[in-house]
Amino acid sequence: MEERKREVWVFIEQRDGKTAEVSFELLSKGRKLADSLNGVLKSVVIGNNVRGIAEETFKFGADETLLVEDKALEKFRVMPYATVMIKLVKKHQPRIVLFGATIIGRGLAPRVASNTVSGLTADCTDLQISDVTYLKKDFPELLLQIRPAFGGNIIATIITPDNPIQMATVREGVMEMHPLDAPNPIKITEIPYEPEPMDDVLQIIEQHREERKVNLKAAPIIVAGGYGLGSKENFKLIHDLAAAIGGEVAGSRAAVDAGFVEHERQIGQTGVTVRPKLIFEVGISGAIQHRAGMQEANKIIAINIDPEAPIFDIAHYGIIGSAENVIPLFIETLKHKLK
Amino acid sequence: MYNTIVMVKQVPDTANISGKVMKDDGTVNRSMLPAIFNHEDKEALEMALRVKEKYGGTVSVITMGPPRASDMLRECLYMGADKAYLISDRKFAGSDTLATSYVLSKAVKRVGEFDIVFAGRQAIDGDTAQVGPQTAEKLNLPQATYAEEILELDGDKIKIKCAIDGGYEVLEGKLPLLVTVVKDSNQPRPFSAKRTMRFKNAKTLLDIQKMSDENSLLTLQELVEEYKSKNLYIETITSEDLTNLDAAMLGLHGSPTKVHKVESVVLAGGKYEKIEASKDGIASLIDELLNDHILG
């Protein structure tokens, strides 16, 4: 078998000149993958006047950055960005390419994978390098792309055995960010943008972006409510508890879908991934997609009427009871103690 | 006048699982998962129907799947689609998103001239959001993903509003293009009672084959012609109906990604400290949290 290139690439996502956090998280993971492959980690930075972003990537372990700058690349547009990525990937044949599972990454990665006939797995929750025997054939050092499937009821390990390039997207917050103690030496390779005829078919004529109002990722204490609360009125208990202990309110996907709480407060695979000091899980059964978003919390207190709820399997403290009983009791007792 | 093609998928209802999904032998217990019309694909169909209502034209729906996916195609007809196509062949089994997109791109060409191809952003069984962009790439079409609303169509120009991380943007460009639609964009219309009465009799080739076996008065071809003339024929497209199909790109063989391992989610379980739902129980928990400086 032909020796595959030992290059791990991370597509660096930037919005208005600011690097998306997920890109740093991916660099940290990419560094580990490159080390297990005994290979190199490269970042790809595309934009206009983004040399500063290119330089930042060395703080998170990049060995080299491919920098493509052009006025036409100022804002992310999928067609020209795909043109750039496709040309780079075809020329250099990296072994692994990682993208954030953001709206940008989820538009760009499939287009690049399709054109370069690469394997692509969405929303991986873990990535590892391992030798694999598949259909009685040995494949050395494949990327194990691990993700929940079937609505999170199973965990699938996906591999790309036969095609040389393995691509994956990873959601924000899933991988941990590790800045290096001492940044790697800066090595930036500038590459000119060579447009294709279709690149400018779509133009951005308006763009509105608001800073996120709630920052669950930064909250040390979170009170999360689920569908088990039963109604929007009852969900007020979650707000009461959060107010009493100085925490942020969050919800499971089911609670968000039911309209109990707004989407920007959703925890889990299709929401935010959090690592707080303390999280209350109230009326949340604990489906794997939800757990994927909070199981790294330091302390988990589960409050649920169903003793069989899977949330108890990852909880540190468990209270079997209804929110209506437990929360007022908790608030009252706490007030008494803090007096 | 705009001709649109909507790519739809029938999916297991992964959000409403009533019991154990995995059997003890490790296979998926499909009876636990009723098949439903993927919600975002329904949103995509609604967007296409609104284009038709405002500007005229036709709406065709295509799905790649097993014969039972025709149930969902009938629902598309109840909502207002003009024509439905079932793309079904054992050779397509085991496809990952790339192999699926390859077949869909060929099927879109087979359906005919179009201005816009629509699809839902993602399907709830895989949640990948890859098939839309990959089909666009295979058709050499530009893409607008996470679309919320078409603001304007004028000749071959389109203005479309799409979600971006933390907000939205308006894109302006030229047709043709592929659009993926996000949930809660459109509030899909209910089935029309009149159309339901009419199209509940719409049949695929397989349905008609079964009938012709039972009823020898008419040949299969005659029956198909009769259904076609009544506009009740759900055209079935197999690998043989698609031109320039590269067998190496189909099914498991044409899929770069393979499932190496599937595990049922097993939890370690039961190691938590149980707190009584009583005043004393909660008081001791609060003490512990305060002592550990987690609270307070």
Side-chain angles (χ1 to χ4, degrees), chain B residues 5-9 41 44 60-63 104-105 108 117-120 131-132 135-136 178:
Chain B
I5 298 172
V6 189
M7 308 198 291
V8 294
K9 189 180 184 188
D41 298 343
S60 304
V61 290
I62 64 173
T63 192
L104 284 172
S105 69
V108 164
V117 178
F118 287 102
V131 168
T135 307
L178 184 142

Coordinates of all heavy atoms in Angstrom, one line a residue, chain B residues 5-9 41 44 60-63 104-105 108 117-120 131-132 135-136 178:
Chain B
I5 N -37.4 21.0 -8.0 CA -37.3 19.6 -7.6 C -37.0 19.6 -6.2 O -36.0 20.2 -5.7 CB -36.2 18.9 -8.4 CG1 -36.5 18.9 -9.9 CG2 -36.1 17.4 -8.0 CD1 -35.4 18.3 -10.8
V6 N -37.7 18.8 -5.4 CA -37.5 18.7 -3.9 C -37.0 17.3 -3.6 O -37.7 16.3 -3.9 CB -38.8 19.1 -3.2 CG1 -38.5 19.2 -1.7 CG2 -39.5 20.3 -3.7
M7 N -35.9 17.3 -2.9 CA -35.4 16.0 -2.5 C -35.9 15.7 -1.1 O -35.7 16.5 -0.2 CB -33.8 16.0 -2.5 CG -33.3 16.4 -3.8 SD -31.5 16.0 -4.0 CE -30.7 17.1 -2.8
V8 N -36.6 14.6 -0.9 CA -37.2 14.3 0.4 C -36.8 12.9 0.9 O -36.3 12.1 0.1 CB -38.8 14.4 0.3 CG1 -39.2 15.8 0.0 CG2 -39.3 13.4 -0.7
K9 N -36.9 12.7 2.2 CA -36.5 11.4 2.7 C -37.5 11.0 3.8 O -38.0 11.8 4.6 CB -35.1 11.5 3.4 CG -34.5 10.2 3.8 CD -33.1 10.4 4.4 CE -32.5 9.0 4.7 NZ -31.3 9.1 5.4
D41 N -37.4 18.3 5.3 CA -37.7 18.1 3.9 C -39.2 18.6 3.6 O -39.4 19.1 2.5 CB -37.6 16.6 3.5 CG -36.2 16.1 3.7 OD1 -35.3 16.9 3.8 OD2 -36.0 14.8 3.8
A44 N -38.9 22.1 3.1 CA -38.4 22.4 1.7 C -39.5 22.3 0.7 O -39.6 23.1 -0.2 CB -37.2 21.4 1.4
S60 N -41.7 19.0 -8.5 CA -41.5 17.5 -8.5 C -40.8 17.1 -7.2 O -39.9 17.8 -6.8 CB -40.6 17.1 -9.7 OG -41.2 17.5 -10.9
V61 N -41.1 16.0 -6.7 CA -40.4 15.5 -5.5 C -39.7 14.1 -5.9 O -40.3 13.3 -6.6 CB -41.3 15.2 -4.3 CG1 -41.8 16.6 -3.8 CG2 -42.5 14.3 -4.6
I62 N -38.5 14.0 -5.3 CA -37.8 12.7 -5.5 C -37.4 12.2 -4.2 O -37.0 13.0 -3.3 CB -36.6 12.8 -6.5 CG1 -35.5 13.8 -5.9 CG2 -37.0 13.4 -7.8 CD1 -34.2 13.8 -6.7
T63 N -37.4 10.9 -4.0 CA -36.8 10.3 -2.8 C -36.0 9.1 -3.2 O -36.4 8.4 -4.1 CB -37.9 10.0 -1.8 OG1 -37.2 9.7 -0.5 CG2 -38.7 8.7 -2.1
L104 N -28.7 10.8 -6.4 CA -29.6 11.9 -6.4 C -29.3 12.9 -7.5 O -30.2 13.4 -8.2 CB -29.7 12.6 -5.1 CG -30.4 11.9 -3.9 CD1 -30.2 12.6 -2.6 CD2 -31.9 11.7 -4.2
S105 N -28.0 13.2 -7.7 CA -27.7 14.1 -8.8 C -28.0 13.6 -10.1 O -28.5 14.3 -11.0 CB -26.2 14.5 -8.7 OG -25.4 13.3 -9.1
V108 N -31.9 13.8 -10.4 CA -32.3 15.2 -10.7 C -32.3 15.5 -12.2 O -33.2 16.0 -12.8 CB -31.5 16.2 -9.8 CG1 -31.7 17.6 -10.4 CG2 -31.9 16.1 -8.4
V117 N -33.2 23.3 -7.0 CA -33.4 22.1 -6.3 C -33.5 22.4 -4.8 O -32.6 23.1 -4.3 CB -32.2 21.1 -6.6 CG1 -32.4 19.8 -5.8 CG2 -32.0 20.8 -8.1
F118 N -34.5 21.9 -4.2 CA -34.6 22.1 -2.7 C -34.3 20.8 -2.0 O -34.6 19.7 -2.5 CB -36.1 22.5 -2.4 CG -36.5 23.9 -2.8 CD1 -37.2 24.1 -3.9 CD2 -36.1 24.9 -2.0 CE1 -37.6 25.4 -4.3 CE2 -36.5 26.2 -2.3 CZ -37.2 26.5 -3.4
A119 N -33.9 20.9 -0.7 CA -33.8 19.8 0.2 C -33.9 20.3 1.6 O -33.6 21.5 1.8 CB -32.5 19.1 0.0
G120 N -34.3 19.4 2.5 CA -34.2 19.8 3.9 C -32.7 20.0 4.3 O -31.9 19.4 3.7
V131 N -25.9 15.7 2.4 CA -26.4 15.3 1.1 C -26.8 16.5 0.2 O -26.5 16.5 -1.0 CB -27.6 14.3 1.3 CG1 -28.4 14.1 0.0 CG2 -27.1 13.0 1.8
G132 N -27.3 17.6 0.8 CA -27.6 18.7 0.0 C -26.4 19.3 -0.7 O -26.3 19.4 -1.9
T135 N -24.8 17.0 -3.2 CA -25.6 16.9 -4.5 C -25.4 18.1 -5.3 O -25.2 18.1 -6.5 CB -27.1 16.7 -4.2 OG1 -27.3 15.6 -3.3 CG2 -27.9 16.4 -5.5
A136 N -25.3 19.3 -4.7 CA -25.0 20.5 -5.4 C -23.7 20.4 -6.1 O -23.6 20.8 -7.3 CB -25.0 21.7 -4.4
L178 N -29.0 25.2 -5.7 CA -29.6 24.2 -4.7 C -29.7 24.9 -3.4 O -28.8 25.6 -2.9 CB -28.7 22.9 -4.6 CG -29.3 21.8 -3.7 CD1 -29.0 20.5 -4.3 CD2 -28.8 21.9 -2.3

